[in-house]
Amino acid sequence: TYETMDYSAWDFIRFMDRKIAKRTEIPAVDVWYGVMKSEYEQSAALRYEMAGLEDNYPEFKAVMEEYRDGVYLFDISNKEVWGRAVSDTIGLQSYYQENTNSYMQPEKAWAWVVRVDDALLSKKVGKVLVQAYKKGWDFSELKLALDKKFGSEVRLDSNAYAKGMDPFVDDAEWVPGFLGEVWLEGEIGCCAYVWIKGIVEPEPYALEDVRGKVISDYQVFLEDAWVKQLRARYKVRVFED
């Protein structure tokens, strides 16, 4: 017996067995027994001290209680909030459908942009565009005419542009059918013709395109609902000390 903890002979024998398994040479029995007895007593004292840490050291007890509470809170939060937000695909889809206004794409202008590297060619490019506008050329016809007449000095792009994607489109008048020359303020020799083909109205992103954001918002939603449920079920008491 050490202090208030009991140790049997079998405990001592098992301790020696583990020690023997790690040695390549065994000393004389009386020497070995003395060494093992001393080490076992030290081990018993250490185990006794470890078992009483929380009773003997209030600060350590407080740390351990905080740690256990943290582990418990993490486990239950993972079950009720984080893990559920990822695994509950039906709930996630339902939350997304109810909050699609939070995941809207911006308004976009569907435009053809003719970029002119040499400002001296601007008027000549403009004449080709006026011809295309009057004759109703499609994108391929316009590209063929520009490539044939100007080669690499003129580039034609087509895209749905949101604000901030292209400075030339940003400065154009967002009205279907608008065709005009746009110069960037402060930029010498930098111009383009912008032809607004149509306006793409705002619409929700597909769930797969914003899944990470939706999961994050769904977690916040689940956590708020869980906290409200807990507050309704249990009375909150705050200890000021």
Side-chain angles (χ1 to χ4, degrees):
T1 301
Y2 182 86
E3 297 292 343
T4 58
M5 301 181 69
D6 295 328
Y7 299 94
S8 67
W10 279 110
D11 291 331
F12 182 49
I13 292 172
R14 286 192 290 268
F15 177 80
M16 288 193 297
D17 283 342
R18 291 194 297 271
K19 293 292 184 177
I20 290 173
K22 298 179 180 179
R23 295 183 68 97
T24 57
E25 296 182 3
I26 305 299
V29 174
D30 56 340
V31 176
W32 175 251
Y33 176 79
V35 172
M36 287 296 96
K37 183 173 180 297
S38 176
E39 289 189 10
Y40 186 70
E41 289 173 349
Q42 293 177 16
S43 175
L46 179 60
R47 279 183 284 172
Y48 175 79
E49 182 67 20
M50 293 292 291
L53 283 176
E54 293 189 39
D55 294 329
N56 298 329
Y57 303 97
E59 297 85 357
F60 179 76
K61 181 180 180 180
V63 171
M64 290 304 297
E65 288 179 349
E66 184 177 352
Y67 170 75
R68 284 190 288 265
D69 290 345
V71 172
Y72 175 73
L73 179 61
F74 175 84
D75 287 341
I76 193 170
S77 296
N78 187 55
K79 177 183 177 182
E80 297 291 337
V81 180
W82 307 322
R84 180 180 170 188
V86 176
S87 61
D88 183 13
T89 54
I90 295 178
L92 183 68
Q93 178 70 37
S94 177
Y95 175 82
Y96 165 76
Q97 293 292 347
E98 293 173 2
N99 296 275
T100 51
N101 287 339
S102 298
Y103 310 105
M104 299 293 289
Q105 300 184 42
E107 181 185 53
K108 298 178 181 179
W110 188 264
W112 295 355
V113 182
V114 183
R115 307 176 196 278
V116 184
D117 291 335
D118 186 349
L120 297 177
L121 296 177
S122 177
K123 290 186 178 180
K124 294 180 180 179
V125 172
K127 291 180 180 180
V128 175
L129 282 167
V130 169
Q131 185 180 8
Y133 188 88
K134 291 180 177 179
K135 293 185 176 181
W137 288 355
D138 60 23
F139 183 83
S140 298
E141 291 173 319
L142 176 57
K143 180 173 176 54
L144 181 63
L146 291 173
D147 288 346
K148 183 177 181 180
K149 192 172 184 63
F150 304 105
S152 60
E153 293 182 296
V154 171
R155 301 184 310 280
L156 173 62
D157 299 318
S158 176
N159 201 353
Y161 297 90
K163 288 290 186 180
M165 289 179 61
D166 188 286
F168 292 111
V169 179
D170 288 351
D171 285 352
E173 186 177 350
W174 282 34
V175 176
F178 169 85
L179 172 59
E181 185 180 21
V182 179
W183 291 78
L184 296 184
E185 185 176 352
E187 298 288 341
I188 300 176
C190 189
C191 69
Y193 283 89
V194 178
W195 189 346
I196 304 296
K197 305 299 291 185
I199 301 298
V200 181
E201 296 297 330
E203 60 181 4
Y205 285 102
L207 175 57
E208 290 305 315
D209 294 335
V210 289
R211 175 173 292 274
K213 179 69 167 67
V214 177
I215 288 177
S216 178
D217 293 345
Y218 188 40
Q219 287 175 340
V220 174
F221 169 79
L222 290 175
E223 184 174 9
D224 290 344
W226 180 41
V227 170
K228 289 179 181 178
Q229 182 182 5
L230 291 176
R231 289 184 179 277
R233 182 179 300 179
Y234 304 104
K235 184 178 180 180
V236 178
R237 298 175 60 191
V238 179
F239 297 92
E240 299 293 345
D241 54 340

